[in-house]
Amino acid sequence: MGFNMSQLQHLGVRKYFSKISMKIIGRVGAAVLIILVLSLAAVDRGSYSLQLEQLLSTQKIITQSQAQTLSEQFSEGVRSGAVHTLTGVLTNPSIEGVKVDYADGSDSLLVGEINSEFDLSLPVYFTDKTTGSKSVAASITTYASTQAIDAARWLRFKYAVAMVLIVMLSIVAVLALAVYTIIGLPLHKVTQAIDTVEQGEFPQVDWNSNDEMGLVIKRLNYLHSIQHERLSGLEQALNEKERHEADRLRNLVNASFEGILIYQQNELVDLNEPMAGLLGGTRETLIEKELAQLFSWDVLAFLQAAHNDNARPFLETSIASVVDSNAEPVSVEMYINTIEYAGNDAKVVVVRDITERLKAEERMRQLALYDGLTNLPNRMFFMECLAQALARADRLGSSMAVMYLDLDHFKDVNDTHGHAAGDELLQNVAKVIGENIRETDTGARLGGDEFAIILEGDNSGSFAPEVLAMRLLEGVNRCKMNAKIGSDFGASIGIGIHPGHPIKSSDLLMHADLALYHAKDNGRNNYQVYTDNLDNDYRRHRLLVERLRHALENNLLELHFQPQANSSSESIVGFEALLRWSDVMLGWIPPQEIVAAAEKEGLIRELGAWVIRQACTEAAKWQYPYRIAVNLSPIELAYAGLPDYISSVLDETELDPARLELEITELALMADMDQVGATLQRLKNIGVTIAMDDFGSGYSSLSVLKKFPFDRVKIDRSFVSNGNEDSEENVIAAAVIDIGRRLNVDVVAEGIENQEQLQRMKDQDCAEIQGFFIGKPIPQDEMLTFLDNISSEIKKRAS
């Protein structure tokens, strides 16, 4: 206001005090004296001594009462009730702690606090009801409430303070009356004038006097006129600043990526430029439109529901252009909230374009549910589709099938032609599947070279899984020809058909899988439909594998030894170890089935190792150094650690390596000739001999006799047992024997079952012979007896 309190010293206040009537001051003084006397009486009434006396009296009564109560309890033998008794004492605000000290010296009992400066102790007696004698059992001490003592002191202090305040208030009242009379009225007018300044007005104060107060009011009127002029200029400057700030905020809102819209009572109030862009117009053209002209019914329903406090504040929808009806709708998400706008409640809607986010989510879904190479559904998506298809089939009673398609010899394509060619082949196979299935069917790539198809039936009778399987096989063959890859490539298909009653997806997949393995076992490049027999075969196979593991672990397998003889002297030169197994649950099992199951389930190495160790251990017991021949599976031969294992077995059994002969089939040579050749050479370095088994029954090539270090060749029994002197088989056998003789490779004829076959091999100068006519396989536990008989016969001939 342009002045401060120091300026009031010049107003001449003393001058006005001299005019106050002494009568008024006398009355005021008398009133103050009366108030002082009353205050002193109140202090005396509520003095500290009186309060303290009342507190100590109450403490004494309570202590006596509790001492009597405890004496009665002790006399009754109820000492354990003391805690409850003492706890009840503390309910009295005059006591803050109770302590019992037992006369027998046991632990004291304390409840509450013992910090009080006033305590009272009384004895607790025990009365013997038999003799009537009375003795001190304990003492009880109560502690007066420090809070009550402090309260008494605080009350005394309050009374003293109240007396001082009353005197001071009386003096202030007298002074206030004088000041109001002298300067109160003019100041009241000044105050009214100042209050109107807050409303933007600067009135003049109506007060005319020549004293100091009059001078102050004149100065105030002058300051009002000056301030009015200044504020007028300031208001104009502020209006310019507000307009600048409003423009800055609008530009900031328009720079946002989200669209913002404000409406009141379903009428559009304002929107930013991104919002106008989403609606396909401009702010100027849209600001006058109603909400119903801008949005579809679902958005309007969302905005209408937003007036309910419990409504959801979020909506995901699409917005169409209000200008171009041919424009694609924009996918958006909308958030709504309540704000204050221009002094009233309004709704603000924030709209975000989520087109790119939805595209990214779709790409992520594509990656999660589809195979990246073939663009077919992946295993996870396939399992979801299968569950849905099974549910539909069960609900509608319709047909459906699952087909497994597995590519044959696909690994050879990758190894020979490269992974790029393999990937292209997989894409072409996926294309074949897509071209041959219907829209209602599902084709998927489960991984690697394995595909699956869900084929659903309908009322049109187009459900024909066998027809689809034939078309798929033809399509895969076309892919093979177009890619110009090996003739072994093809596809095997297994079909599991819905049995007509509810079935688990895992069971239906197992049916298709069993049918697929059956297709592979039947020469590949064909399809097979699941039947109950396949399930029985599968169960037998699983049981066979389980029992085979058990037999290997418990040494329940057997070896039989079939003699091999010199064709000229017919004397024994060696034995071939043959696997035999008769299980308590499955009975006698053919060796071919044992080997096939072991190869399929990864047990062939363990089985082969058992055979080699058993054969070497048995041969080491023989008195004469007969040769022992053991068959090797192609899988065993592919194992790089085979030579080291055989060497360790020979060392362990102390068998001469030259006595061990390893027989391999032509199929084993076809896998990897370089690797097989290296393995055979390592075996030759150990000292064992190598024989080709069943020569002529497979992909025989005379070049293998030169390429690989064979010591012996065994002619397949089909060229011996099925032939006669003039047959083609006999001609082939003679040719093989002649080639072996020229290459310095011994030839063994298998399948000698009669004298005629034996004589024919002798006539053709075959080195060795083997067959039932020479000797049937001998069980291992009979070998030593058999060899003893041979030894006795040799001795007889010698004598």
Side-chain angles (χ1 to χ4, degrees):
M1 294 181 58
F3 60 92
N4 51 39
M5 292 299 298
S6 61
Q7 292 173 317
L8 293 177
Q9 298 176 359
H10 305 288
L11 297 180
V13 178
R14 297 176 182 175
K15 173 182 174 182
Y16 293 94
F17 273 114
S18 63
K19 297 180 181 180
I20 297 176
S21 172
M22 293 300 296
K23 184 178 181 180
I24 295 176
I25 295 176
R27 290 178 180 177
V28 172
V32 171
L33 181 61
I34 294 172
I35 292 173
L36 181 60
V37 171
L38 292 176
S39 298
L40 291 173
V43 170
D44 182 69
R45 178 70 177 170
S47 66
Y48 172 68
S49 299
L50 179 61
Q51 294 292 326
L52 184 60
E53 181 181 351
Q54 293 176 351
L55 176 63
L56 296 178
S57 175
T58 302
Q59 180 184 9
K60 181 177 181 181
I61 294 172
I62 291 174
T63 305
Q64 292 174 345
S65 173
Q66 297 309 311
Q68 180 63 31
T69 300
L70 290 177
S71 296
E72 294 174 359
Q73 290 179 351
F74 286 1
S75 299
E76 294 293 333
V78 188
R79 179 171 174 177
S80 61
V83 175
H84 300 288
T85 302
L86 300 184
T87 302
V89 175
L90 296 184
T91 59
N92 193 306
S94 300
I95 305 300
E96 73 172 11
V98 183
K99 182 180 180 183
V100 174
D101 294 307
Y102 296 104
D104 57 7
S106 59
D107 292 340
S108 300
L109 179 62
L110 172 64
V111 179
E113 303 292 336
I114 59 173
N115 298 323
S116 175
E117 58 188 278
F118 296 104
D119 58 86
L120 176 63
S121 298
L122 292 176
V124 177
Y125 296 100
F126 169 74
T127 303
D128 191 336
K129 293 186 177 183
T130 303
T131 62
S133 62
K134 192 177 194 180
S135 61
V136 177
S139 65
I140 180 172
T141 304
T142 59
Y143 297 88
S145 172
T146 56
Q147 184 176 5
I149 298 171
D150 293 340
R153 292 171 176 168
W154 174 245
L155 182 62
R156 184 179 185 185
F157 174 75
K158 287 194 295 184
Y159 285 150
V161 172
M163 179 187 69
V164 174
L165 290 177
I166 291 173
V167 174
M168 293 180 65
L169 289 175
S170 300
I171 297 173
V172 170
V174 173
L175 293 176
L177 179 61
V179 171
Y180 179 76
T181 304
I182 300 170
I183 62 176
L185 290 178
L187 285 180
H188 177 67
K189 291 183 175 290
V190 171
T191 302
Q192 288 181 332
I194 293 175
D195 288 341
T196 58
V197 172
E198 297 179 358
Q199 302 176 5
E201 300 178 3
F202 299 92
Q204 298 294 307
V205 179
D206 184 15
W207 183 265
N208 293 319
S209 66
N210 295 323
D211 55 12
E212 287 83 351
M213 198 65 193
L215 295 176
V216 170
I217 292 175
K218 290 179 181 179
R219 180 63 177 170
L220 177 63
N221 288 335
Y222 172 74
L223 292 176
H224 272 193
S225 61
I226 298 299
Q227 191 71 9
H228 177 68
E229 295 177 0
R230 291 178 178 177
L231 290 179
S232 298
L234 181 60
E235 181 179 1
Q236 183 177 1
L238 287 176
N239 289 337
E240 291 293 332
K241 184 177 181 180
E242 288 177 357
R243 284 194 293 270
H244 176 73
E245 184 66 15
D247 291 340
R248 188 184 70 84
L249 291 177
R250 182 175 297 279
N251 291 333
L252 186 62
V253 171
N254 287 333
S256 172
F257 289 103
E258 287 83 9
I260 300 175
L261 176 145
I262 302 175
Y263 71 96
Q264 293 174 331
Q265 301 297 326
N266 294 324
E267 292 184 0
L268 182 62
V269 175
D270 203 354
L271 74 164
N272 65 350
E273 292 180 1
M275 185 71 239
L278 290 173
L279 293 172
T282 63
R283 179 179 179 278
E284 289 72 17
T285 58
L286 297 173
I287 196 67
E288 298 177 355
K289 294 183 179 293
E290 298 180 356
L291 294 180
Q293 298 176 282
L294 302 178
F295 300 114
S296 58
W297 66 269
D298 60 327
V299 178
L300 294 175
F302 167 69
L303 298 179
Q304 182 64 32
H307 294 284
N308 183 359
D309 294 337
N310 296 325
R312 59 190 182 102
F314 168 79
L315 175 68
E316 187 171 305
T317 183
S318 59
I319 296 179
S321 173
V322 298
V323 177
D324 186 1
S325 59
N326 295 323
E328 288 290 333
V330 180
S331 298
V332 298
E333 57 185 12
M334 307 179 72
Y335 301 87
I336 192 168
N337 202 355
T338 302
I339 64 170
E340 182 180 344
Y341 187 85
N344 297 312
D345 286 343
K347 296 292 183 180
V348 58
V349 181
V350 179
V351 182
R352 180 180 294 117
D353 187 348
I354 59 173
T355 303
E356 292 301 322
R357 192 193 76 187
L358 294 180
K359 289 180 180 179
E361 291 176 353
E362 181 60 26
R363 288 194 295 269
M364 293 176 63
R365 180 179 180 275
Q366 185 77 12
L367 292 174
L369 300 179
Y370 288 85
D371 175 56
L373 179 65
T374 63
N375 206 33
L376 290 177
N378 60 15
R379 182 182 293 273
M380 181 174 67
F381 193 15
F382 171 80
M383 295 303 295
E384 293 180 6
C385 295
L386 177 59
Q388 296 171 4
L390 276 174
R392 283 192 296 269
D394 293 340
R395 185 176 66 255
L396 303 176
S398 58
S399 302
M400 69 161 295
V402 173
M403 304 174 67
Y404 270 161
L405 185 151
D406 188 82
L407 300 180
D408 300 327
H409 302 292
F410 178 72
K411 181 177 182 300
D412 297 339
V413 176
N414 279 334
D415 294 342
T416 306
H417 302 277
H419 288 278
D423 290 346
E424 183 179 358
L425 188 59
L426 290 174
Q427 292 173 336
N428 290 334
V429 171
K431 185 177 180 182
V432 168
I433 293 175
E435 291 173 347
N436 285 280
I437 63 175
R438 304 163 301 174
E439 292 184 358
T440 55
D441 301 330
T442 302
R445 182 191 177 201
L446 303 186
D449 60 342
E450 187 178 6
F451 297 85
I453 299 169
I454 301 173
L455 185 65
E456 298 191 60
D458 53 28
N459 296 328
S460 65
S462 61
F463 179 74
E466 293 90 345
V467 175
L468 175 60
M470 287 299 300
R471 291 203 301 264
L472 293 176
L473 291 175
E474 294 172 358
V476 172
N477 284 329
R478 286 195 301 272
C479 293
K480 175 181 68 175
M481 290 184 290
N482 293 336
K484 298 179 181 180
I485 58 179
S487 59
D488 290 340
F489 179 80
S492 298
I493 299 176
I495 304 173
I497 299 179
H498 192 286
H501 56 78
I503 185 175
K504 295 180 180 179
S505 59
S506 58
D507 292 338
L508 189 57
L509 291 175
M510 183 185 71
H511 292 174
D513 194 42
L514 289 175
L516 174 64
Y517 278 109
H518 188 50
K520 288 185 176 292
D521 291 340
N522 280 269
R524 303 175 183 264
N525 200 28
N526 69 95
Y527 73 87
Q528 296 291 329
V529 181
Y530 170 81
T531 63
D532 291 338
N533 290 334
L534 290 181
D535 191 41
N536 295 334
D537 292 343
Y538 174 75
R539 295 180 186 277
R540 172 180 167 76
H541 173 75
R542 298 313 309 170
L543 180 59
L544 172 62
V545 172
E546 179 182 345
R547 297 301 299 169
L548 179 57
R549 294 183 190 275
H550 176 74
L552 285 170
E553 292 172 358
N554 295 276
N555 199 30
L556 299 178
L557 300 175
E558 297 181 41
L559 285 185
H560 288 197
F561 299 88
Q562 186 173 24
Q564 296 174 334
N566 182 280
S567 60
S568 298
S569 63
E570 298 184 18
S571 60
I572 302 297
V573 295
F575 295 87
E576 180 180 0
L578 302 175
L579 181 64
R580 296 292 184 267
W581 179 31
S582 181
D583 184 64
V584 293
M585 297 178 63
L586 296 172
W588 186 84
I589 303 162
Q592 298 86 345
E593 187 177 359
I594 300 173
V595 173
E599 288 181 339
K600 186 175 183 179
E601 299 298 331
L603 295 174
I604 191 62
R605 290 184 184 174
E606 185 178 354
L607 178 62
W610 183 88
V611 172
I612 292 173
R613 181 176 295 277
Q614 287 293 111
C616 292
T617 302
E618 177 63 25
K621 300 176 183 178
W622 300 343
Q623 183 178 359
Y624 289 92
Y626 294 117
R627 184 178 68 235
I628 181 68
V630 177
N631 290 277
L632 287 183
S633 163
I635 298 177
E636 290 181 89
L637 191 61
Y639 176 47
L642 177 65
D644 294 332
Y645 174 75
I646 291 177
S647 178
S648 66
V649 171
L650 292 173
D651 291 340
E652 181 182 337
T653 59
E654 297 182 354
L655 181 70
D656 184 0
R659 294 179 58 192
L660 177 61
E661 181 172 273
L662 301 176
E663 296 184 0
I664 64 174
T665 62
E666 295 169 306
L667 181 62
L669 303 176
M670 300 298 104
D672 187 340
M673 289 191 176
D674 293 336
Q675 191 271 335
V676 170
T679 301
L680 292 179
Q681 189 58 54
R682 289 178 60 194
L683 292 171
K684 288 285 292 182
N685 294 338
I686 295 173
V688 302
T689 58
I690 308 296
M692 175 182 283
D693 194 17
D694 298 333
F695 184 78
S697 63
Y699 301 97
S700 300
S701 173
L702 297 178
S703 63
V704 299
L705 298 178
K706 179 181 178 182
K707 182 177 180 62
F708 297 101
F710 291 112
D711 299 287
R712 194 168 284 103
V713 173
K714 301 182 72 173
I715 302 176
D716 185 67
R717 66 181 63 248
S718 62
F719 297 100
V720 177
S721 60
N722 294 333
N724 53 57
E725 188 174 352
D726 298 325
S727 66
E728 293 180 354
E729 288 86 353
N730 191 49
V731 173
I732 294 174
V736 173
I737 294 171
D738 184 61
I739 293 173
R741 184 171 56 252
R742 292 176 182 273
L743 293 176
N744 198 28
V745 175
D746 291 338
V747 177
V748 181
E750 294 183 294
I752 303 298
E753 298 180 356
N754 52 54
Q755 182 64 42
E756 179 186 355
Q757 295 170 351
L758 173 60
Q759 188 60 47
R760 190 167 61 249
M761 292 299 104
K762 285 183 177 183
D763 294 342
Q764 293 175 357
D765 199 16
C766 182
E768 297 178 1
I769 51 178
Q770 178 181 344
F772 281 5
F773 189 73
I774 305 302
K776 294 183 178 180
I778 304 163
Q780 183 175 347
D781 57 359
E782 299 177 10
M783 274 298 295
L784 294 179
T785 302
F786 177 80
L787 292 175
D788 287 341
N789 293 335
I790 293 177
S791 176
S792 299
E793 185 177 345
I794 292 174
K795 290 179 180 179
K796 288 180 181 179
R797 291 179 182 178
S799 61

